[in-house]
Amino acid sequence: MLNCRESTALMSEARERDLTLAERLGLRLHWAMCSACRRFDRQLDVLRAAARRYAARDDRITSDQDDAPPR
């Protein structure tokens, strides 16, 4: 069975690649017993969404500055 360190590593990897069946099953088994790791998985989703919103905001600011008339 996975420990919390292995579980969190797999959760991070799952955002970059498809996990194997054995990895997914191991995570589900661990999550069944570990509320902290379930919470961490949800936090990863929140952080990813926030980073995407920030990057989109930064892109809009940059493009607005590109369109501004020179001073």
Side-chain angles (χ1 to χ4, degrees):
M1 184 166 118
L2 298 173
N3 62 35
C4 290
R5 184 176 296 231
E6 294 165 334
S7 179
T8 56
L10 279 178
M11 285 182 253
S12 294
E13 288 181 32
R15 270 99 181 137
E16 303 297 324
R17 67 173 177 89
D18 291 334
L19 298 180
T20 66
L21 178 60
E23 290 170 331
R24 289 193 314 266
L25 291 174
L27 267 179
R28 287 183 186 260
L29 179 61
H30 183 82
W31 285 341
M33 295 179 280
C34 185
S35 63
C37 284
R38 288 192 306 269
R39 184 174 32 252
F40 180 78
D41 189 55
R42 290 190 306 269
Q43 290 171 342
L44 284 177
D45 290 337
V46 169
L47 286 171
R48 184 176 216 174
R52 285 182 175 169
R53 283 193 305 272
Y54 183 79
R57 175 187 163 274
D58 193 43
D59 289 345
R60 286 192 307 270
I61 291 170
T62 303
S63 67
D64 289 346
Q65 290 174 352
D66 293 342
D67 296 338
R71 293 184 181 190

